[in-house]
Amino acid sequence: MKLKSVANAMPAIVSMIDDFESNGGCESICLLEGDLMIGFLAAQDSGGDVSVFSDRCLHALTQVAANEYVYTVHGRAALDTISLMDVFGALRSVIRTCISNDAECPYGTLECVDSSLLERMLGMERTDEAVRMVITQTVGHELMHNAMLIDTLCACFDNLDNKTGACEQLGIQRQTLYNRLDKVTQIVGIAPTDKISWSMLLLGAKMAKSQHNHTISSTSAL
């Protein structure tokens, strides 16, 4: 969160934290540094439904986002330390962009890190670093090493997320596809209904697959 006025923004933030932590097993950790606040909302029940938890967090942040003194950026659910570091990397990337364009900071709004992903990718000087950033901030470490799920997401990308076409390309039943996509949601915390983040996830999967194929081709050539 970037605060236009710490004094005016803090009551809404404190209220949000109190409401969120009133749920059993929920807590928040945050750090205020000048007019910037960064942190995360957490739940002790790691075996729960990730999409339900994500919705709960988004609902909490929406309360603060309505405040005209706060610009709120949210990431995604993280189930392990590596994923958490990836999410913080994406948040800090957005924050740096926000600071460099302070006059245009859209206070009173809520934005997802994926909304500016392509803009941030184009702002990087090296293509390999830009591709790596997209893969890291969308697919993440665990999903990146699951070839079956990456192939499934690539099939959705190839067919403009048309489930019938993806099933035909993969040679699987529709329910099998849904089961795989549900597993993806449980890993990265993104559901197909989240259009912006889901489209970025499909792009990231396609990049990860292409990068993997390129690595194999280069190795074979040697």
Side-chain angles (χ1 to χ4, degrees), residues 37-50:
M37 175 176 283
I38 188 168
F40 61 87
L41 304 173
Q44 295 178 4
D45 182 13
S46 59
D49 190 310
V50 177

Side-chain angles (χ1 to χ4, degrees), residues 3-77:
L3 314 181
K4 185 176 182 180
S5 166
V6 175
N8 289 316
M10 200 52 65
I13 295 173
V14 171
S15 177
M16 179 273 289
I17 292 176
D18 288 342
D19 288 345
F20 182 80
E21 293 186 344
S22 66
N23 297 291
C26 292
E27 62 180 344
S28 62
I29 297 178
C30 54
L31 172 67
L32 179 63
E33 186 175 298
D35 63 349
L36 293 176
M37 175 176 283
I38 188 168
F40 61 87
L41 304 173
Q44 295 178 4
D45 182 13
S46 59
D49 190 310
V50 177
S51 59
V52 171
F53 173 72
S54 296
D55 289 342
R56 181 187 300 170
C57 293
L58 189 59
H59 175 73
L61 293 176
T62 300
Q63 299 179 47
V64 179
N67 189 293
E68 62 180 327
Y69 297 101
V70 184
Y71 169 51
T72 310
V73 181
H74 73 88
R76 62 179 59 171

Side-chain angles (χ1 to χ4, degrees), residues 149 173-186:
L149 295 182
Q173 297 295 318
R174 198 175 185 87
Q175 187 57 52
T176 301
L177 176 66
Y178 285 138
N179 290 341
R180 291 184 184 182
L181 296 182
D182 183 64
K183 188 171 183 180
V184 168
T185 296
Q186 294 306 314

Side-chain angles (χ1 to χ4, degrees), residues 135 138-139 143-144 146-172 177 180-181 184 198-213:
I135 294 174
T138 55
V139 175
L143 186 56
M144 190 186 310
N146 192 316
M148 181 185 70
L149 295 182
I150 289 294
D151 286 344
T152 300
L153 293 174
C154 285
C156 290
F157 179 93
D158 294 341
N159 291 275
L160 303 178
D161 209 21
N162 179 277
K163 303 302 186 292
T164 300
C167 287
E168 292 176 353
Q169 180 173 324
L170 294 167
I172 61 176
L177 176 66
R180 291 184 184 182
L181 296 182
V184 168
W198 188 257
S199 63
M200 291 297 100
L201 175 62
L202 297 184
L203 175 62
K206 193 67 176 180
M207 286 184 171
K209 179 72 173 180
S210 298
Q211 186 181 65
H212 177 70
N213 291 341

